[in-house]
Amino acid sequence: MTAIKRTFINSEIWSLTISGAFQRANVCKPNVLEKDKKNFKFMLKGYIDNTIVPSYNKGNVSDDLHIENIKSVQQYTSNFGKLLTNGQFNFGVSQKLLNLYLKYLWCLDIIPEPPHFPVDRIIQQKLNFKPIIAWTKIETPEEYMSIVNFARTKINSKDEFYNSLATIELNLFSRRHDDL
């Protein structure tokens, strides 16, 4: 893939990632200028691409490292606290952002399979996880890992569609508009 194509695709997946991670989360305070939002997203993408993503390039990222990376994203957002509703992202928004971005990079064969999947209401429903935890309200790694560990009980090493957390999520995922 040429550099210009890679830049274009990466920009598009970042846009999808932001859209998915920010929906229903009310991350920015009211009246934040668009130029400030744009700068925040640009800086956040640079941080994730340059600081976080390289640790996924060889695959086999442990739960502990992945949790630390989610916390790192969360902590980084505190640098933009004056723009953000709660001064920084909570754990749920941070995991959704990072996991969604990693999922897209994996699907494009840019990185090996990520260790987890984007946790949201839909995946919890499809896994029959109860009680459902609003992903926008997840505050701790423990809440998040309760969902991930429940999903692990669904792994079947003999079934190519359910042999890892990432493949389970891909196979359970569906757009809200399946008829398109």
Side-chain angles (χ1 to χ4, degrees):
M1 182 182 306
T2 64
I4 196 163
K5 287 180 180 179
R6 189 175 3 269
T7 299
F8 170 75
I9 290 296
N10 195 266
S11 175
E12 291 299 301
I13 66 170
W14 183 249
S15 179
L16 288 169
T17 299
I18 290 294
S19 177
F22 288 12
Q23 68 179 349
R24 298 177 183 82
N26 299 318
V27 296
C28 288
K29 291 177 180 175
N31 303 321
V32 171
L33 298 175
E34 283 305 312
K35 71 179 182 82
D36 292 333
K37 289 180 189 178
K38 185 176 181 179
N39 181 59
F40 166 63
K41 292 172 193 173
F42 175 80
M43 297 297 289
L44 182 60
K45 182 181 184 308
Y47 177 75
I48 291 173
D49 278 339
N50 297 320
T51 305
I52 304 293
V53 170
S55 64
Y56 295 87
N57 286 336
K58 292 184 180 178
N60 296 321
V61 173
S62 69
D63 285 349
D64 290 341
L65 176 57
H66 189 61
I67 294 294
E68 288 307 312
N69 285 340
I70 294 168
K71 288 179 182 177
S72 180
V73 169
Q74 183 180 17
Q75 181 61 40
Y76 181 77
T77 65
S78 69
N79 295 323
F80 300 88
K82 67 182 182 191
L83 307 177
L84 303 176
T85 304
N86 296 314
Q88 69 178 35
F89 289 176
N90 68 8
F91 193 88
V93 172
S94 300
Q95 71 78 24
K96 179 87 178 252
L97 180 82
L98 181 58
N99 283 324
L100 194 54
Y101 192 53
L102 294 174
K103 175 183 170 179
Y104 288 135
L105 294 176
W106 168 55
C107 287
L108 289 167
D109 291 324
I110 295 170
I111 64 166
E113 184 174 321
H116 297 169
F117 52 81
V119 170
D120 59 19
R121 173 173 292 281
I122 294 170
I123 192 65
Q124 290 178 72
Q125 288 171 329
K126 291 190 179 231
L127 290 168
N128 293 316
F129 180 82
K130 291 185 174 63
I132 290 176
I133 303 170
W135 65 270
T136 58
K137 305 289 187 218
I138 295 174
E139 295 293 336
T140 67
E142 293 76 20
E143 290 173 299
Y144 165 77
M145 285 304 296
S146 69
I147 300 162
V148 170
N149 287 329
F150 181 81
R152 281 195 169 109
T153 68
K154 310 292 184 182
I155 292 175
N156 178 347
S157 62
K158 295 179 178 147
D159 184 338
E160 70 176 304
F161 297 112
Y162 295 93
N163 65 9
S164 70
L165 290 172
T167 57
I168 285 172
E169 193 270 346
L170 270 187
N171 284 290
L172 293 176
F173 178 82
S174 63
R175 292 257 176 230
R176 287 185 173 82
H177 306 289
D178 287 334
D179 56 329
L180 295 180

